[in-house]
């Protein structure tokens, strides 16, 4: 078993969905939006963000011998929140990126504006 | 005969005039050239999608009509996330269509500082009027939506002036007047040709013509034109020019309108289904900062409150009572630089402390206005800042903007290739001709000499109108 980018994005979206209060959308909609958005990132950002995501996925292997995407929901939440509070700016930024996009995807809006 | 053969070959097209980019500047330029009888080809990197192909401000719109699917960043302390349209019509397809003429004091300032010829309010008025007549600018009919009216009420209680901004909008038809709904159909009716999904990779001068090397739906396509206008937007225009060997003051002065936001929770609903978009703005503090209302859909509330869980928890039950508001100014001076082998340029931005202090002061003014408007709670959209329950809580905020956590966003980019006769500062002459560019012209927001602290679309269209007429009068020389 290796770190898995898509599975990590899905697991982060699941985690964000679980701690939100009654979002309209599903975790599946959120992760689909995040993955589609990721594909549009500028070329110089995609590889480092992908690498950082895989490091994030592998991080729990040190203490818990399992990847983030294989953790139970409560452990995933603890990991996400630990990275959100990290003293390392890049770790916080990675979580801001995924949490923001997931939140947007959790509230799909097809209402007409004008 | 040769021209006809060139036109028919799939890997080469010929035009008298080629315009790269179909946003407000490119579309107006293309329309004028086509209507004057010139064989005009308009190229657009993004897709050709109807204005109503997806819901405005939706995820689908971001994925299909925004450059980099809405994920563009200028790196700095703090960084700025900025958005650009990437579709036929450019930014006019995805913005709210708020409309302002360039204030006269700014025209005077630009004319003085950059030595721009013939840029007075008097000389620009016919160009504003012509664009407004073609596109359709209207004041909101009847009452503004409650979220907008609240800002006006709060301003009035503080003795401040709020205005109702006109929009590029047909209120009778309920339809935004974007380029794809107005100017581009006029261009096509005049015989202009539009080629979407075509990205300009490089330009070069060959004899008396310009050659544009492009990628059209993934295939190489070469365009030959006698006259060439670059209107790819304030980031992509300098990136293309620099790739093509033009460097003098190109991409050294990109500017933004960075925003800070706050979400207010009111006692009564301020967002009703079917309400028109908010229009109120507080402009009396410009150019230090300007204040306005944003679209407040649940998705945009969730995004604005990504770093503020307590207020975000209200969305499920109280979204109709919540409104997003912003303050913006002209903080940030950025550079556009290409990276070898990569398609997207790197943008680096630096801020002057005094500009960030002004922006943060503007946020505090906004918070005061929202409490004066009757907000029960207001959340500044900066991670780590507390939920405020009264105006008195504003005093407890940090004295300076927390740079590490500030989330600056901008929907306006401009001024990367400013115009003027002062060659020390400008990239083009007063009419958009690139210095030493053999008649090569720029026709987009890159030409602006600085921030307007309001939607720059009116300025972009009028300057493009002025410069296109000037170019045609001189045979594009």
């Amino acid at each position: 078993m290796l770190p898995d980018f898509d599975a990590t994005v899905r697991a982060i979206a699941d985690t964000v969905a679980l701690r939100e209060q009654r979002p309209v959308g599903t975790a599946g909609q959120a992760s689909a939006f995040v993955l589609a958005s990721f594909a549009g990132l500028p070329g110089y950002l995609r590889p480092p963000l992908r690498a950082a995501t895989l490091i994030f996925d592998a991080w729990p292997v040190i203490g818990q011998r399992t990847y983030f995407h294989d953790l139970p929901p409560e452990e995933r939440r603890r990991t996400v929140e630990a990275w959100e509070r990290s003293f390392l700016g890049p770790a916080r930024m990675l979580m801001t990126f995924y949490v923001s996009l997931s939140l947007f995807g959790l509230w799909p809006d097809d209402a007409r504006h004008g | 005969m040769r021209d006809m053969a060139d036109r028919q070959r799939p890997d080469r097209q010929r035009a008298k005039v080629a315009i790269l980019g179909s946003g407000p500047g490119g579309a107006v330029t293309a329309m004028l050239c086509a209507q004057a009888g010139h064989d005009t080809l308009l190229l657009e990197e993004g897709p050709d999608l109807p204005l109503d192909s997806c819901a405005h401000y939706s995820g689908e719109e971001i994925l299909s009509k925004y450059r980099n699917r809405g994920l563009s960043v200028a790196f700095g302390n703090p960084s700025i996330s900025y958005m650009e349209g990437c579709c036929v019509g450019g930014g006019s397809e995805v913005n709210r269509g708020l409309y302002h003429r360039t204030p006269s004091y700014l025209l005077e300032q630009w004319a003085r500082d950059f030595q721009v010829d013939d840029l007075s309010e008097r000389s620009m008025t016919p160009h504003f009027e012509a664009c407004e007549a073609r596109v359709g600018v209207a004041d909101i009919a009847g009452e503004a939506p409650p979220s907008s009216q609240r800002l006006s009420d709060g301003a009035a209680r503080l003795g401040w002036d709020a205005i109702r901004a006109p929009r590029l909008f047909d209120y009778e038809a309920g339809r935004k007047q974007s380029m794809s709904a107005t100017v581009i159909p006029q261009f096509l009716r005049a015989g202009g040709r539009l080629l979407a999904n075509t990205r300009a990779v490089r330009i070069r001068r060959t004899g008396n013509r310009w050659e544009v090397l492009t990628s059209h739906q993934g295939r190489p396509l070469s365009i030959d034109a006698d006259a060439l206008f670059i209107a790819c937007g304030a980031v992509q225009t300098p990136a293309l020019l620099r790739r093509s060997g033009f460097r003098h003051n190109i991409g050294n002065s990109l500017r933004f309108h960075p925003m800070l936001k706050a979400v207010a929770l009111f006692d009564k609903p301020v967002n009703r289904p079917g309400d028109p978009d908010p229009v109120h703005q507080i402009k009396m503090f410009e150019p230090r900062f300007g204040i306005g209302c944003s679209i407040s859909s649940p998705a945009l509330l969730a995004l604005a409150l990504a770093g503020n869980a307590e207020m975000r928890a209200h969305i499920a039950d109280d979204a109709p009572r919540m409104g997003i508001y912003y303050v913006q100014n002209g903080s940030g001076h950025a550079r556009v630089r290409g990276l070898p082998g990569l398609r997207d340029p790197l943008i680096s931005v630096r801020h002057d402390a005094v500009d960030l202090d002004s922006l943060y002061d503007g946020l505090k003014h906004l918070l005061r206005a929202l409490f004066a408007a009757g907000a029960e709670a207001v959340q500044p959209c900066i991670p780590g800042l507390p939920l405020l329950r009264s105006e008195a809580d504003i005093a407890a905020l940090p004295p300076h903007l927390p740079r590490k956590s500030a989330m600056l966003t901008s929907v306006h980019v401009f001024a990367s290739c400013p115009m003027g006769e002062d060659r020390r500062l400008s990239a083009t002459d007063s009419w958009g001709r690139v210095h030493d560019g053999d008649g090569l012209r720029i026709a987009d927001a890159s030409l602006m000499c600085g921030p307007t602290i309001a939607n720059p679309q009116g300025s972009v269209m009028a300057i493009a109108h002025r410069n296109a007429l000037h170019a045609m009068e001189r045979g594009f020389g």
Side-chain angles (χ1 to χ4, degrees):
Chain A
M1 196 73 173
L2 291 168
D4 182 327
F5 176 77
D6 284 18
T8 305
V9 172
R10 284 195 295 270
I12 294 172
D14 282 344
T15 307
V16 174
L18 281 172
R19 70 179 186 182
E20 283 307 291
Q21 296 202 5
R22 292 178 284 121
V24 174
T26 64
Q29 285 173 296
S31 60
F33 180 72
V34 178
L35 288 167
S37 300
F38 189 93
L41 274 172
Y44 58 84
L45 274 179
R46 234 175 295 137
L49 257 178
R50 180 178 284 270
T53 306
L54 295 175
I55 291 169
F56 173 75
D57 193 26
W59 193 257
V61 172
I62 298 169
Q64 301 174 70
R65 300 187 174 211
T66 186
Y67 291 101
F68 170 79
H69 70 265
D70 284 331
L71 287 172
E74 200 45 46
E75 288 300 319
R76 285 180 183 173
R77 178 173 178 153
R78 252 194 287 276
T79 306
V80 166
E81 290 177 354
W83 278 56
E84 284 179 318
R85 293 190 304 269
S86 171
F87 68 94
L88 296 172
R92 290 196 308 273
M93 282 169 56
L94 186 73
M95 288 300 103
T96 298
F97 174 78
Y98 281 121
V99 170
S100 300
L101 289 176
S102 298
L103 284 168
F104 188 86
L106 278 172
W107 295 93
D109 177 24
D110 293 325
R112 181 175 164 78
H113 297 273
Chain B
M1 281 299 287
R2 185 186 159 196
D3 280 3
M4 191 169 289
D6 279 355
R7 266 194 200 184
Q8 287 165 355
R9 279 165 52 182
D11 63 345
R12 199 164 199 87
Q13 291 210 22
R14 163 101 186 96
K16 167 88 185 287
V17 182
I19 292 120
L20 313 182
S22 66
V28 166
T29 303
M31 175 196 65
L32 290 172
C33 291
Q35 291 183 338
H38 299 295
D39 170 26
T40 306
L41 178 61
L42 177 59
L43 304 181
E44 167 56 47
E45 178 179 352
D48 186 6
L49 298 169
L51 180 61
D52 300 325
S53 64
C54 50
H56 207 14
Y57 317 115
S58 67
E60 189 184 352
E61 184 182 71
I62 290 171
L63 296 178
S64 60
K65 293 187 178 178
Y66 283 53
R67 180 172 297 284
N68 296 126
R69 302 185 182 181
L71 299 175
S72 299
V73 184
F75 293 96
N77 180 26
S79 296
I80 302 174
S81 300
Y82 66 92
M83 275 144 267
E84 294 180 290
C86 186
C87 58
V88 170
S92 74
E93 306 300 308
V94 298
N95 68 13
R96 200 158 18 129
L98 293 169
Y99 180 85
H100 298 279
R101 292 186 183 184
T102 322
S104 57
Y105 78 90
L106 276 180
L107 292 173
E108 287 167 18
Q109 184 185 320
W110 295 354
R112 185 182 61 242
D113 294 351
F114 289 76
Q115 296 176 20
V116 187
D117 293 341
D118 211 17
L119 196 71
S120 65
E121 181 177 23
R122 187 174 170 190
S123 63
M124 288 300 296
T125 296
H127 302 292
F128 283 114
E129 288 174 348
C131 292
E132 290 159 11
R134 285 183 179 277
V135 178
V137 176
D139 291 314
I140 191 168
E143 282 195 5
S147 63
S148 185
Q149 192 59 48
R150 287 286 186 142
L151 184 66
S152 176
D153 295 345
R157 285 185 191 125
L158 293 169
W160 302 345
D161 293 327
I163 62 136
R164 288 157 47 129
R167 289 178 68 205
L168 298 151
F169 199 84
D170 180 343
Y171 281 101
E172 280 186 23
R175 189 171 168 81
K176 192 164 70 147
Q177 299 298 86
S178 70
M179 293 299 106
S180 75
T182 56
V183 171
I184 288 171
Q186 294 171 35
F187 161 72
L188 294 172
R189 280 197 294 276
R193 289 175 287 146
L194 171 66
L195 204 56
N197 300 304
T198 306
R199 177 177 180 264
V201 178
R202 189 165 278 110
I203 60 172
R204 64 187 177 206
R205 191 76 166 148
T206 52
N208 291 328
R209 291 179 177 175
W210 288 100
E211 184 180 17
V212 186
L213 307 172
T214 77
S215 173
H216 172 61
Q217 296 176 331
R219 294 175 52 201
L221 169 70
S222 178
I223 311 290
D224 285 338
D226 298 333
L228 182 60
F229 292 82
I230 314 289
C232 305
V235 173
Q236 298 299 322
T237 285
L240 172 62
L241 288 170
R242 293 188 71 88
R243 279 201 300 276
S244 305
F246 297 92
R247 302 276 165 83
H248 181 71
N249 290 332
I250 300 286
N252 295 344
S253 54
L254 179 70
R255 304 292 298 271
F256 306 85
H257 286 149
M259 285 187 283
L260 290 170
K261 293 181 179 172
V263 173
L265 178 67
F266 292 101
D267 55 340
K268 293 178 183 162
V270 292
N271 285 309
R272 302 171 304 201
D275 269 345
D277 290 352
V279 292
H280 278 101
Q281 295 179 329
I282 301 172
K283 296 177 70 64
M284 61 183 286
F285 301 109
E286 295 178 2
R288 284 188 68 229
F289 56 80
I291 289 173
C293 320
S294 291
I295 306 298
S296 303
S297 67
L300 292 173
L301 283 166
L303 190 62
L305 294 168
N308 306 99
E310 187 179 356
M311 186 65 136
R312 201 171 70 238
H314 284 276
I315 295 174
D317 292 324
D318 299 322
R321 294 199 288 130
M322 299 167 80
I324 305 175
Y325 299 84
Y326 67 84
V327 57
Q328 67 184 7
N329 73 357
S331 179
H333 297 253
R335 291 184 0 149
V336 182
R337 291 293 181 269
L339 295 169
L342 290 174
R343 177 182 170 132
D344 299 290
L346 183 69
I347 316 295
S348 55
V349 61
R350 62 177 173 76
H351 298 272
D352 293 334
V354 65
D355 290 336
L356 287 180
D357 284 344
S358 291
L359 187 62
Y360 191 51
D361 185 40
L363 178 67
K364 292 179 178 177
H365 278 69
L366 169 61
L367 301 173
R368 287 181 61 203
L370 294 173
F371 280 116
E376 293 178 347
V378 182
Q379 177 65 65
C381 299
I382 298 174
L385 293 199
L387 181 62
L388 311 178
R389 300 285 181 183
S390 72
E391 187 180 341
D393 290 348
I394 299 171
L397 293 176
H400 298 286
L401 179 71
R403 287 196 181 210
K404 282 188 177 172
S405 54
M407 299 165 77
L408 299 184
T409 56
S410 178
V411 291
H412 305 148
V413 287
F414 46 83
S416 55
C417 310
M419 59 185 170
E421 300 304 321
D422 186 343
R423 293 174 70 107
R424 293 169 303 169
L425 298 174
S426 62
T428 78
D429 70 5
S430 298
W431 308 93
R433 280 180 294 207
V434 175
H435 290 317
D436 305 318
D438 217 357
L440 175 66
R441 285 173 163 83
I442 295 175
D444 62 23
S446 308
L447 291 177
M448 292 168 58
C449 300
T452 56
I453 324 295
N455 187 317
Q457 186 176 331
S459 304
V460 173
M461 289 193 299
I463 291 169
H465 192 273
R466 160 192 184 265
N467 292 358
L469 294 181
H470 182 272
M472 287 190 288
E473 283 166 10
R474 280 149 188 81
F476 300 102

